[in-house]
Amino acid sequence: MSKEREVRPRPAEVVREYGPFGTDHIAGLTFDGERVWYAAKDRMQSLDVEEGSLGAAFAVPATAGTAFDGRHFYQIGNDVIRKVDAKTGAVVKSMPTPGPPGTCAGLTWAEGKLWVGVHKSRKILQLDPETGRVLKEIPTARFVTGVTFVDGDLWHGTLENEVSDLRRVDPDTGEELDRLEMPEGTYVTGLETDGKDLLYCGGGASSKVRAVKRPKR
């Protein structure tokens, strides 16, 4: 039996804060190459990450994770994953979320699949994006509040016992490989990468989005 590596937590380096934006909860987010989009209950809201200003919004139920595949958004709202045309905001397909109602928190697109966090079940599921069928299940050590892939690495946000951190885990086993501890009182509800050096974090009831520097391996 192989021995798990020892992970030494490090402070997360928050390099920029956006907001607050007046919503009572930011519940998931994604990045379309130019803008962050976050879930704001009754809409998907875009954020210009250079200017820090809000832009277009789509009237789609948005209560949890958000993802982008290059052409479409995928948005969890009221236990439904909706596939949304990224140009028009039209819903082109819907499928039920996996697991019990109200448990999915976190959604991303990677390797042609959807990946969804199942909050208090402490696991991440890989889904067929056409059918919603569960293809793989990955255990985690803490409540999951956001998931993202970058450079082949799977990162997820956590929030448990009033403490949040960001963890890089093995995408096959869930073994923890790296951990960034968020500042005290700073919570993660939604996680996405810019594909480069940043991890964008939804700030829950703070109505903020935070950019955290992604460490090099």
Side-chain angles (χ1 to χ4, degrees):
M1 183 176 179
S2 61
K3 182 180 178 181
E4 289 192 1
R5 71 178 68 187
E6 179 182 357
V7 175
R8 296 183 179 180
R10 295 174 284 170
E13 184 180 347
V14 179
V15 297
R16 186 168 179 181
E17 285 193 348
Y18 303 90
F21 294 117
T23 182
D24 62 359
H25 194 67
I26 292 177
L29 45 79
T30 193
F31 185 69
D32 70 2
E34 296 181 357
R35 296 157 295 183
V36 163
W37 291 76
Y38 64 81
K41 288 192 175 179
D42 62 346
R43 69 188 188 281
M44 297 174 61
Q45 176 66 58
S46 68
L47 165 65
D48 185 314
V49 292
E50 295 297 327
E51 299 294 331
S53 57
L54 299 182
F58 293 149
V60 176
T63 57
T66 312
F68 180 62
D69 70 1
R71 293 180 56 199
H72 297 92
F73 294 113
Y74 295 81
Q75 179 61 63
I76 296 176
N78 304 322
D79 303 316
V80 175
I81 301 174
R82 293 174 174 86
K83 185 176 181 179
V84 179
D85 187 299
K87 292 183 178 179
T88 67
V91 175
V92 299
K93 186 173 185 174
S94 298
M95 67 185 87
T97 56
T103 61
C104 289
L107 188 69
T108 197
W109 173 274
E111 303 175 343
K113 304 293 188 296
L114 286 172
W115 302 70
V116 60
V118 186
H119 182 47
K120 293 184 179 180
S121 297
R122 297 190 178 94
K123 60 186 176 183
I124 298 169
L125 305 178
Q126 183 195 66
L127 306 182
D128 183 314
E130 295 301 317
T131 65
R133 182 169 63 91
V134 176
L135 304 175
K136 182 162 63 174
E137 181 176 310
I138 305 165
T140 66
R142 284 172 57 82
F143 293 170
V144 181
T145 60
V147 290
T148 190
F149 259 90
V150 56
D151 294 338
D153 289 334
L154 173 60
W155 286 84
H156 74 85
T158 80
L159 174 53
E160 191 169 346
N161 299 324
E162 301 298 313
V163 175
S164 273
D165 56 39
L166 306 177
R167 299 187 179 204
R168 180 169 65 87
V169 300
D170 186 297
D172 293 314
T173 67
E175 178 188 357
E176 183 181 345
L177 305 174
D178 202 356
R179 188 191 313 171
L180 306 178
E181 296 181 330
M182 296 296 286
E184 184 176 357
T186 302
Y187 305 137
V188 176
T189 57
L191 181 67
E192 183 61 293
T193 175
D194 68 348
K196 299 175 184 177
D197 301 322
L198 297 177
L199 296 166
Y200 290 110
C201 304
S206 73
S207 193
K208 293 183 178 182
V209 173
R210 296 179 176 91
V212 172
K213 185 176 181 180
R214 180 170 67 95
K216 302 297 184 184
R217 284 218 219 174

